[in-house]
Amino acid sequence: MIDPIAMREQFPMYSRGGMYGDLPLHYLDNCATTFKPQCVIDAADRYNTDITANTKRGDYALAHAADVAYDESRETVASFINAHVDEVCFTSGDTMGLNQVAFGMAHRLKPGDEIVVSYHEHASVVLPFFKVAERTGAKVVYVPLDERGRITPDALRSVVNERTRIVCLASTTNVLGYSIDVKEMAAIAHSVGAIYVDDGAQSVPHKKTDVRETDADFLCFSGHKMCGPTGIGVMYGKRELLLELEPLMWGGEMNARFNADGTYTLDDPPSRFEAGTQNVSGAMGLAEACRFLDGIGYKDIHDHEEKLRRRAVDGLSAIQDIEIYDPDADAGIVAFNSKTVFAQDMATLLGSKGVFVRSGTHCSKLLPIYTGAPATVRASFYIYNDEEDVDALIDAASHSEDFLNVYF
């Protein structure tokens, strides 16, 4: 069981007595990014204070220390998702990983082939595959959503066929907070010979992920959404597919050699996908974030988020002016709107009371096709949130008329 008071003591963002300037700090934008505990900050800072050197290049003791720290970080992350260490490639984040998969697998596509996504997907999924389809003549196909906005196995079966080459879905969606059974979805993709890409940006921070269990071909996620640093993420891939994947970035230390005649030999994965100077500090911080979350335990994380989500849904549902789009979400996400105040204006009102939420399309610009709402307000919870945060949200949302009184 998570004690939010004790939890907050580990996060410097709460060191000002739960205030942000003159405002109370009710941070409910955890889908966008999360606060960092001191242990993660210290782990990342250790590179800058104790072992600053370029990795994979130096033949001296300091460089060796940096190499060891970087390699150990990869080992920690691999263990965290139950992958082999050579299958874990560090990226700048989920977006880079998804782009690497999309463009790196473009050689598999020809005119008439199909790429399957959904209306839920983030721009980091949709836009790379739009561009790949444009270049190859392939077609992007959408999984239909059911009446609640969920993706069911039968819905995926209804669109995959012998032309399907890639299926890419978020294991937990970032607006409505719905989750899918990745193992079942991957099996459906594999049944027609397609590869399955798991966008784990919103799932890895909140529930245990085992790539051997799910059998996903690729998994991408970001460190900053799971108490880790910004600018670091992971692309996991099955080794045989990593050997096939065309690198997105080219440069130093991703090749074994290159010659004046234009021939070259690539290094083995994961190095071939880590061209240039890597974010060693970020990798060390991400590894510590993995240890931190494992130490808490994902059952406790889920139970805590669900308690807060349920309280928020109950409280917001009692407000006549509020419409909730995902009352049965699987994650700690509540997407809602005021019937009288536009989403961005509602977020401004909430922010003026210290309740920090996200508004807009949340980079999922196709979802309004389903919801009918051009934008929504999204509150998202994490391990350091408490019932006071939820109650502040409910109280502020119940006074949406304040926006009209103050601004008009």
Side-chain angles (χ1 to χ4, degrees):
M1 182 176 181
I2 290 176
D3 178 357
I5 295 176
M7 183 65 68
R8 288 184 177 189
E9 292 177 354
Q10 302 182 67
F11 288 81
M13 283 295 295
Y14 288 105
S15 64
R16 305 174 190 86
M19 300 291 291
Y20 177 71
D22 296 330
L23 293 171
L25 179 58
H26 301 293
Y27 182 77
L28 300 178
D29 194 18
N30 294 286
C31 279
T33 199
T34 55
F35 292 166
K36 326 303 177 191
Q38 189 63 53
C39 62
V40 167
I41 296 169
D42 291 344
D45 282 350
R46 178 173 166 257
Y47 173 73
N48 299 310
T49 59
D50 296 348
I51 55 169
T52 299
N54 217 335
T55 56
K56 301 187 285 186
R57 292 162 174 82
D59 297 313
Y60 49 90
L62 185 58
H64 176 69
D67 285 342
V68 169
Y70 191 58
D71 290 344
E72 288 179 347
S73 297
R74 195 189 310 277
E75 291 168 5
T76 297
V77 174
S79 176
F80 182 72
I81 60 172
N82 194 27
H84 190 277
V85 68
D86 291 341
E87 297 173 319
V88 171
C89 309
F90 286 124
T91 66
S92 66
D94 190 42
T95 297
M96 179 180 174
L98 290 167
N99 273 265
Q100 170 62 81
V101 173
F103 288 99
M105 278 289 159
H107 64 273
R108 283 196 170 203
L109 300 170
K110 62 183 185 299
D113 286 345
E114 296 181 353
I115 303 162
V116 175
V117 299
S118 83
Y119 293 115
H120 278 294
E121 304 314 313
H122 192 278
S124 298
V125 169
V126 176
L127 293 180
F129 282 118
F130 275 0
K131 180 56 66 173
V132 166
E134 177 186 302
R135 291 181 179 180
T136 63
K139 181 172 68 170
V140 175
V141 176
Y142 300 94
V143 183
L145 308 180
D146 70 8
E147 66 280 359
R148 294 182 299 168
R150 290 182 177 271
I151 301 171
T152 66
D154 284 343
L156 180 57
R157 290 189 188 96
S158 74
V159 294
V160 298
N161 54 61
E162 69 279 358
R163 297 184 302 276
T164 306
R165 298 291 176 263
I166 300 172
V167 176
C168 184
L169 300 172
S171 36
T172 298
T173 61
N174 76 316
V175 180
L176 301 182
Y178 293 144
S179 295
I180 57 177
D181 185 333
V182 177
K183 182 177 181 179
E184 186 170 11
M185 296 300 193
I188 294 169
H190 293 158
S191 71
V192 295
I195 66 167
Y196 188 86
V197 185
D198 180 5
D199 176 6
Q202 300 297 339
S203 60
V204 174
H206 303 278
K207 60 183 181 182
K208 190 63 180 173
T209 302
D210 185 331
V211 295
R212 297 286 177 251
E213 172 66 21
T214 64
D215 200 29
D217 298 298
F218 292 97
L219 164 71
C220 300
F221 59 96
S222 293
H224 70 97
K225 297 180 186 293
M226 51 182 286
C227 296
T230 56
I232 190 72
V234 169
M235 177 190 70
Y236 155 82
K238 292 178 179 177
R239 183 163 179 80
E240 63 271 20
L241 291 173
L242 291 178
L243 289 169
E244 176 188 339
L245 199 66
E246 181 84 358
L248 184 67
M249 302 287 291
W250 296 75
E253 300 307 316
M254 54 81 70
N255 65 91
R257 78 174 285 114
F258 56 90
N259 307 297
D261 64 0
T263 59
Y264 57 85
T265 304
L266 296 180
D267 204 351
D268 289 336
S271 294
R272 71 171 57 178
F273 304 107
E274 297 180 4
T277 300
Q278 291 305 299
N279 184 0
V280 185
S281 172
M284 294 169 65
L286 174 57
E288 185 61 30
C290 292
R291 290 187 285 267
F292 178 73
L293 294 179
D294 267 341
I296 298 171
Y298 276 100
K299 183 181 185 305
D300 284 352
I301 291 173
H302 173 271
D303 290 348
H304 181 70
E305 292 176 353
E306 173 58 22
K307 179 180 70 174
L308 298 180
R309 187 196 68 81
R310 188 70 261 164
R311 187 181 184 94
V313 168
D314 290 345
L316 291 171
S317 296
I319 303 172
Q320 186 174 2
D321 184 55
I322 298 297
E323 178 180 5
I324 299 175
Y325 296 93
D326 59 343
D328 60 342
D330 305 305
I333 297 173
V334 181
F336 66 96
N337 269 329
S338 164
K339 297 175 183 177
T340 56
V341 179
F342 189 59
Q344 275 87 349
D345 295 334
M346 186 66 169
T348 299
L349 170 65
L350 297 178
S352 72
K353 299 176 183 297
V355 180
F356 301 145
V357 297
R358 177 82 179 268
S359 64
T361 59
H362 320 289
C363 296
S364 297
K365 290 182 167 62
L366 301 180
L367 191 58
I369 295 173
Y370 164 77
T371 64
T376 57
V377 181
R378 182 188 68 189
S380 50
F381 311 106
Y382 209 28
I383 51 180
Y384 36 69
N385 291 126
D386 62 9
E387 293 181 352
E388 184 179 339
D389 292 327
V390 177
D391 293 344
L393 167 68
I394 296 167
D395 180 65
S398 68
H399 294 88
S400 58
E401 71 276 4
D402 289 356
F403 182 87
L404 301 176
N405 294 336
V406 170
Y407 293 98
F408 295 99

